[in-house]
Amino acid sequence: MALARMSADPAVRLDALSSWHADWTGLKVVVLGLDAVAFSVVDTLAELGSSVLAVAEQAPDDLARLVPVVGARLEQAALDDVPDAVREFAPDVVVATDAFAPTHPILAWAETNGAAVWGDAELAWRVRDKIARADGTPAEWLVVAGSVGKTTTVALAATMLVAGGLRAAPCGSGVVPILDAVRDPAGFDALVVELSEGQLRHLRAARDAGAPVPLASTCLGAADGADHDALGTVYRHTVTACVYNRTDSATMRMVEDADVTDGARAIGVGLDTPGPSDLGVVDGILADRAFVENRRTSAAELSTIADLDARGLAAPHHVFDVLVAAALARAAGIEPASVAAGIDRFEL
């Protein structure tokens, strides 16, 4: 039996939910799980006026007590099948964190019965305009994916952005929930967003209204057995720079196959001598040949291996993370001196 919908064309209504200031009232949403990320979803949707049912097998006591306080409802039940409470609730949307694969029985049931399936990153993108910048636009997103090094790279990039005078913060799978950063009353010019493979699996199916359009993006690499198609989603719709490991054929293919915004550039990163449109290392100097006026004949010095050693960042994998973070920051308009200042401020 099909679910009762709130509109003759539910897809049209859901596509219209692309702003914090849209009409979210009455939207019926099931949220799977109840960890910090799932609670940020519950709290956000309840604040927006939606009807929210959180379902979890075992909810932490502190979060379970908060669910009714924010105006939502909690059902604790086994999730290996669709709980009766979910069927009776008949949601318009089911929001899943990265702990729930798209093949999970509840998500498969939702798809079959006409409910949309979103991840927390999709919801965060839809409501990213709650706190606007001075010019009225929401914070830019710089997104980071990959099997290793994400949290260090995200923190480095955010530190460089702050050193360059921007209000910026790291958030995402290994840091603060994205929705908490989006709703921070202080507001930001840029968010450096760490996305897990699980979050990207959900984003892969996002319609345009919920698909992020990042200023810059990167995949740091794919471990054996990783879902390359999901990881490649990080590059979709990128506006300025798709940053990739130029020694890794898998990430190169991700960039080549990505559906990016016209004008986006592929920026290679490696520990060897950089070519035009690359960042790399020359005689112990971290060099940028991607964001300088004459890329073929000049380069900008960003830091040195000796400087990185003083910060505990001289190991090759850390040097690579620094270069990727610098590429993201440079794509956001940060000057080389501010990149260097950000490195000097950074604590591993």
Side-chain angles (χ1 to χ4, degrees):
M1 181 177 68
L3 297 175
R5 314 310 297 154
M6 301 188 68
S7 164
D9 188 349
V12 172
R13 185 188 183 213
L14 294 181
D15 283 348
L17 299 178
S18 58
S19 167
W20 181 272
H21 308 290
D23 182 9
W24 294 79
T25 56
L27 187 74
K28 299 172 70 175
V29 186
V30 164
V31 180
L32 295 187
L34 196 62
D35 57 9
V37 173
F39 182 77
S40 73
V41 174
V42 171
D43 193 26
T44 298
L45 289 165
E47 184 179 352
L48 286 164
S50 299
S51 178
V52 184
L53 171 65
V55 293
E57 290 191 346
Q58 289 185 317
D61 289 343
D62 56 341
L63 296 180
R65 286 193 295 268
L66 286 173
V67 170
V69 172
V70 301
R73 175 182 149 208
L74 173 63
E75 178 78 17
Q76 297 195 61
L79 300 183
D80 53 352
D81 198 0
V82 184
D84 290 341
V86 172
R87 296 179 186 274
E88 294 165 3
F89 189 70
D92 300 294
V93 179
V94 177
V95 178
T97 64
D98 61 359
F100 297 87
T103 55
H104 189 278
I106 295 176
L107 301 182
W109 171 87
E111 294 276 12
T112 300
N113 286 273
V117 174
W118 297 349
D120 67 289
E122 174 167 355
L123 176 61
W125 179 256
R126 287 173 178 264
V127 300
R128 68 193 184 282
D129 61 344
K130 182 183 182 185
I131 310 295
R133 294 182 286 178
D135 63 0
T137 61
E140 297 283 6
W141 282 25
L142 297 86
V143 293
V144 178
S147 300
V148 293
K150 295 191 298 295
T151 301
T152 299
T153 302
V154 164
L156 275 162
T159 304
M160 293 171 186
L161 294 174
V162 171
L166 298 182
R167 297 171 301 159
C171 61
S173 61
V175 206
V176 174
I178 308 171
L179 283 161
D180 286 353
V182 165
R183 297 182 298 151
D184 190 308
F188 297 103
D189 297 307
L191 296 176
V192 188
V193 182
E194 177 180 339
L195 294 177
S196 69
E197 187 175 310
Q199 287 173 306
L200 288 164
R201 284 197 189 99
H202 291 304
L203 277 177
R204 184 166 51 187
R207 293 167 62 91
D208 285 348
V213 181
L215 179 70
S217 57
T218 187
C219 178
L220 298 173
D224 291 343
D227 185 339
H228 288 201
D229 287 341
L231 290 173
T233 304
V234 74
Y235 293 116
R236 184 175 62 180
H237 299 162
T238 297
V239 173
T240 298
C242 297
V243 182
Y244 69 96
N245 181 346
R246 66 172 179 271
T247 66
D248 178 26
S249 59
T251 55
M252 290 177 68
R253 284 194 299 272
M254 291 177 194
V255 173
E256 291 168 356
D257 295 341
D259 180 15
V260 301
T261 301
D262 287 346
R265 294 170 53 205
I267 306 298
V269 171
L271 301 182
D272 53 357
T273 301
S277 290
D278 292 344
L279 280 75
V281 181
V282 181
D283 295 332
I285 297 171
L286 278 66
D288 167 18
R289 291 188 65 188
F291 299 98
V292 291
E293 186 172 348
N294 192 334
R295 302 195 299 271
R296 298 199 173 276
T297 60
S298 61
E301 178 177 333
L302 303 174
S303 186
T304 66
I305 298 298
D307 290 337
L308 296 188
D309 191 36
R311 309 303 304 165
L313 293 168
H317 65 284
H318 286 321
V319 176
F320 179 78
D321 294 343
V322 169
L323 286 166
V324 172
L328 297 173
R330 294 285 281 143
I334 301 303
E335 294 297 325
S338 295
V339 170
I343 295 169
D344 287 343
R345 297 178 188 180
F346 183 75
E347 294 185 7
L348 187 64

